[in-house]
mmCIF file of all heavy atoms in Angstrom:
data_model
loop_
_atom_site.group_PDB
_atom_site.id
_atom_site.type_symbol
_atom_site.label_atom_id
_atom_site.label_comp_id
_atom_site.label_asym_id
_atom_site.label_seq_id
_atom_site.Cartn_x
_atom_site.Cartn_y
_atom_site.Cartn_z
ATOM 1 N N VAL F 155 3.567 5.670 -28.207
ATOM 2 C CA VAL F 155 2.778 4.479 -28.578
ATOM 3 C C VAL F 155 1.334 4.825 -28.799
ATOM 4 O O VAL F 155 0.694 4.328 -29.737
ATOM 5 C CB VAL F 155 2.925 3.373 -27.482
ATOM 6 C CG1 VAL F 155 1.949 2.242 -27.748
ATOM 7 C CG2 VAL F 155 4.361 2.859 -27.470
ATOM 8 N N MET F 156 0.790 5.732 -27.969
ATOM 9 C CA MET F 156 -0.618 6.121 -28.102
ATOM 10 C C MET F 156 -0.836 6.921 -29.395
ATOM 11 O O MET F 156 -1.966 6.928 -29.911
ATOM 12 C CB MET F 156 -1.033 6.952 -26.885
ATOM 13 C CG MET F 156 -1.118 6.163 -25.599
ATOM 14 S SD MET F 156 -1.570 7.185 -24.146
ATOM 15 C CE MET F 156 -3.239 7.649 -24.572
ATOM 16 N N LYS F 157 0.211 7.498 -29.910
ATOM 17 C CA LYS F 157 0.119 8.229 -31.185
ATOM 18 C C LYS F 157 0.552 7.362 -32.370
ATOM 19 O O LYS F 157 0.737 7.876 -33.470
ATOM 20 C CB LYS F 157 1.017 9.474 -31.124
ATOM 21 C CG LYS F 157 0.525 10.542 -30.114
ATOM 22 C CD LYS F 157 1.430 11.755 -30.122
ATOM 23 C CE LYS F 157 0.943 12.805 -29.143
ATOM 24 N NZ LYS F 157 1.858 13.988 -29.127
ATOM 25 N N LYS F 158 0.701 6.043 -32.109
ATOM 26 C CA LYS F 158 1.066 5.080 -33.125
ATOM 27 C C LYS F 158 2.500 5.316 -33.667
ATOM 28 O O LYS F 158 2.874 4.907 -34.739
ATOM 29 C CB LYS F 158 0.104 5.136 -34.345
ATOM 30 C CG LYS F 158 -1.390 5.038 -33.966
ATOM 31 C CD LYS F 158 -1.674 3.731 -33.263
ATOM 32 C CE LYS F 158 -3.181 3.667 -32.925
ATOM 33 N NZ LYS F 158 -3.522 2.416 -32.176
ATOM 34 N N ASP F 159 3.317 5.942 -32.823
ATOM 35 C CA ASP F 159 4.730 6.137 -33.176
ATOM 36 C C ASP F 159 5.579 5.086 -32.440
ATOM 37 O O ASP F 159 5.153 4.465 -31.470
ATOM 38 C CB ASP F 159 5.194 7.529 -32.764
ATOM 39 C CG ASP F 159 4.548 8.602 -33.600
ATOM 40 O OD1 ASP F 159 4.176 8.301 -34.768
ATOM 41 O OD2 ASP F 159 4.417 9.741 -33.118
ATOM 42 N N LYS F 160 6.798 4.931 -32.862
ATOM 43 C CA LYS F 160 7.717 4.012 -32.222
ATOM 44 C C LYS F 160 8.451 4.676 -31.076
ATOM 45 O O LYS F 160 8.846 5.865 -31.213
ATOM 46 C CB LYS F 160 8.732 3.449 -33.226
ATOM 47 C CG LYS F 160 8.146 2.512 -34.266
ATOM 48 C CD LYS F 160 9.249 1.909 -35.128
ATOM 49 C CE LYS F 160 8.638 0.904 -36.126
ATOM 50 N NZ LYS F 160 9.703 0.329 -36.999
ATOM 51 N N PRO F 161 8.652 3.985 -29.967
ATOM 52 C CA PRO F 161 9.437 4.576 -28.861
ATOM 53 C C PRO F 161 10.822 4.997 -29.332
ATOM 54 O O PRO F 161 11.457 4.276 -30.102
ATOM 55 C CB PRO F 161 9.495 3.435 -27.873
ATOM 56 C CG PRO F 161 8.330 2.565 -28.189
ATOM 57 C CD PRO F 161 8.184 2.628 -29.687
ATOM 58 N N ASP F 162 11.265 6.173 -28.884
ATOM 59 C CA ASP F 162 12.575 6.632 -29.331
ATOM 60 C C ASP F 162 13.497 7.023 -28.160
ATOM 61 O O ASP F 162 14.582 7.542 -28.346
ATOM 62 C CB ASP F 162 12.418 7.841 -30.280
ATOM 63 C CG ASP F 162 11.713 8.995 -29.575
ATOM 64 O OD1 ASP F 162 11.269 8.852 -28.416
ATOM 65 O OD2 ASP F 162 11.571 10.040 -30.231
ATOM 66 N N LYS F 163 13.039 6.723 -26.947
ATOM 67 C CA LYS F 163 13.856 7.021 -25.764
ATOM 68 C C LYS F 163 14.179 5.728 -25.050
ATOM 69 O O LYS F 163 13.296 4.888 -24.835
ATOM 70 C CB LYS F 163 13.140 7.979 -24.855
ATOM 71 C CG LYS F 163 14.020 8.523 -23.736
ATOM 72 C CD LYS F 163 13.313 9.668 -22.982
ATOM 73 C CE LYS F 163 14.224 10.279 -21.954
ATOM 74 N NZ LYS F 163 13.595 11.424 -21.267
ATOM 75 N N LYS F 164 15.457 5.530 -24.683
ATOM 76 C CA LYS F 164 15.855 4.302 -24.040
ATOM 77 C C LYS F 164 16.279 4.508 -22.577
ATOM 78 O O LYS F 164 16.910 5.527 -22.271
ATOM 79 C CB LYS F 164 17.034 3.702 -24.818
ATOM 80 C CG LYS F 164 16.680 3.188 -26.205
ATOM 81 C CD LYS F 164 17.882 2.517 -26.851
ATOM 82 C CE LYS F 164 17.496 1.949 -28.220
ATOM 83 N NZ LYS F 164 18.677 1.244 -28.838
ATOM 84 N N TYR F 165 15.913 3.536 -21.765
ATOM 85 C CA TYR F 165 16.333 3.545 -20.374
ATOM 86 C C TYR F 165 17.719 2.878 -20.307
ATOM 87 O O TYR F 165 17.899 1.771 -20.815
ATOM 88 C CB TYR F 165 15.321 2.787 -19.534
ATOM 89 C CG TYR F 165 15.755 2.536 -18.103
ATOM 90 C CD1 TYR F 165 16.164 3.597 -17.273
ATOM 91 C CD2 TYR F 165 15.726 1.259 -17.557
ATOM 92 C CE1 TYR F 165 16.537 3.371 -15.998
ATOM 93 C CE2 TYR F 165 16.101 1.014 -16.245
ATOM 94 C CZ TYR F 165 16.522 2.083 -15.455
ATOM 95 O OH TYR F 165 16.880 1.858 -14.157
ATOM 96 N N ASP F 166 18.678 3.546 -19.737
ATOM 97 C CA ASP F 166 20.048 3.065 -19.743
ATOM 98 C C ASP F 166 20.413 2.238 -18.496
ATOM 99 O O ASP F 166 21.562 1.859 -18.279
ATOM 100 C CB ASP F 166 21.036 4.248 -19.857
ATOM 101 C CG ASP F 166 20.841 5.287 -18.747
ATOM 102 O OD1 ASP F 166 20.080 5.003 -17.781
ATOM 103 O OD2 ASP F 166 21.407 6.380 -18.870
ATOM 104 N N GLY F 167 19.369 1.950 -17.660
ATOM 105 C CA GLY F 167 19.619 1.141 -16.474
ATOM 106 C C GLY F 167 20.049 1.964 -15.289
ATOM 107 O O GLY F 167 20.434 1.421 -14.258
ATOM 108 N N TYR F 168 19.940 3.322 -15.385
ATOM 109 C CA TYR F 168 20.388 4.141 -14.301
ATOM 110 C C TYR F 168 19.729 3.786 -12.979
ATOM 111 O O TYR F 168 18.522 3.597 -12.924
ATOM 112 C CB TYR F 168 20.102 5.647 -14.577
ATOM 113 C CG TYR F 168 20.324 6.521 -13.372
ATOM 114 C CD1 TYR F 168 21.594 6.963 -13.068
ATOM 115 C CD2 TYR F 168 19.285 6.846 -12.491
ATOM 116 C CE1 TYR F 168 21.832 7.747 -11.925
ATOM 117 C CE2 TYR F 168 19.511 7.619 -11.363
ATOM 118 C CZ TYR F 168 20.770 8.078 -11.087
ATOM 119 O OH TYR F 168 21.007 8.803 -9.964
ATOM 120 N N THR F 169 20.550 3.685 -11.955
ATOM 121 C CA THR F 169 20.032 3.494 -10.606
ATOM 122 C C THR F 169 21.037 4.083 -9.638
ATOM 123 O O THR F 169 22.182 4.419 -10.013
ATOM 124 C CB THR F 169 19.819 1.983 -10.305
ATOM 125 O OG1 THR F 169 19.095 1.824 -9.073
ATOM 126 C CG2 THR F 169 21.144 1.241 -10.193
ATOM 127 N N SER F 170 20.609 4.254 -8.408
ATOM 128 C CA SER F 170 21.477 4.891 -7.424
ATOM 129 C C SER F 170 21.311 4.216 -6.044
ATOM 130 O O SER F 170 20.177 3.877 -5.671
ATOM 131 C CB SER F 170 21.158 6.376 -7.315
ATOM 132 O OG SER F 170 21.947 7.002 -6.294
ATOM 133 N N CYS F 171 22.389 4.061 -5.370
ATOM 134 C CA CYS F 171 22.369 3.513 -3.992
ATOM 135 C C CYS F 171 23.183 4.426 -3.095
ATOM 136 O O CYS F 171 24.436 4.370 -3.153
ATOM 137 C CB CYS F 171 22.984 2.103 -3.961
ATOM 138 S SG CYS F 171 22.149 0.889 -5.024
ATOM 139 N N PRO F 172 22.544 5.241 -2.325
ATOM 140 C CA PRO F 172 23.260 6.063 -1.347
ATOM 141 C C PRO F 172 23.740 5.158 -0.225
ATOM 142 O O PRO F 172 22.945 4.679 0.592
ATOM 143 C CB PRO F 172 22.254 7.096 -0.859
ATOM 144 C CG PRO F 172 21.088 7.020 -1.839
ATOM 145 C CD PRO F 172 21.113 5.612 -2.337
ATOM 146 N N LEU F 173 25.035 4.922 -0.166
ATOM 147 C CA LEU F 173 25.601 4.005 0.848
ATOM 148 C C LEU F 173 25.990 4.774 2.100
ATOM 149 O O LEU F 173 26.991 5.500 2.129
ATOM 150 C CB LEU F 173 26.827 3.305 0.249
ATOM 151 C CG LEU F 173 26.557 2.570 -1.077
ATOM 152 C CD1 LEU F 173 27.866 2.212 -1.777
ATOM 153 C CD2 LEU F 173 25.727 1.347 -0.831
ATOM 154 N N VAL F 174 25.158 4.663 3.111
ATOM 155 C CA VAL F 174 25.358 5.442 4.340
ATOM 156 C C VAL F 174 26.443 4.733 5.175
ATOM 157 O O VAL F 174 26.254 3.626 5.679
ATOM 158 C CB VAL F 174 24.060 5.550 5.154
ATOM 159 C CG1 VAL F 174 24.273 6.415 6.383
ATOM 160 C CG2 VAL F 174 22.959 6.139 4.292
ATOM 161 N N THR F 175 27.611 5.381 5.322
ATOM 162 C CA THR F 175 28.727 4.750 5.967
ATOM 163 C C THR F 175 28.992 5.233 7.393
ATOM 164 O O THR F 175 29.832 4.705 8.081
ATOM 165 C CB THR F 175 30.020 4.934 5.131
ATOM 166 O OG1 THR F 175 30.195 6.344 4.887
ATOM 167 C CG2 THR F 175 29.890 4.216 3.798
ATOM 168 N N SER F 176 28.285 6.312 7.779
ATOM 169 C CA SER F 176 28.373 6.806 9.159
ATOM 170 C C SER F 176 27.226 7.764 9.391
ATOM 171 O O SER F 176 26.362 7.937 8.554
ATOM 172 C CB SER F 176 29.714 7.512 9.391
ATOM 173 O OG SER F 176 29.721 8.807 8.809
#
Side-chain angles (χ1 to χ4, degrees):
V155 171
M156 290 177 68
K157 293 180 178 179
K158 309 299 182 183
D159 292 333
K160 290 185 177 181
D162 60 357
K163 190 170 185 177
K164 292 184 177 181
Y165 172 53
D166 56 11
Y168 170 83
T169 191
S170 177
C171 300
L173 305 166
V174 184
T175 55
S176 77

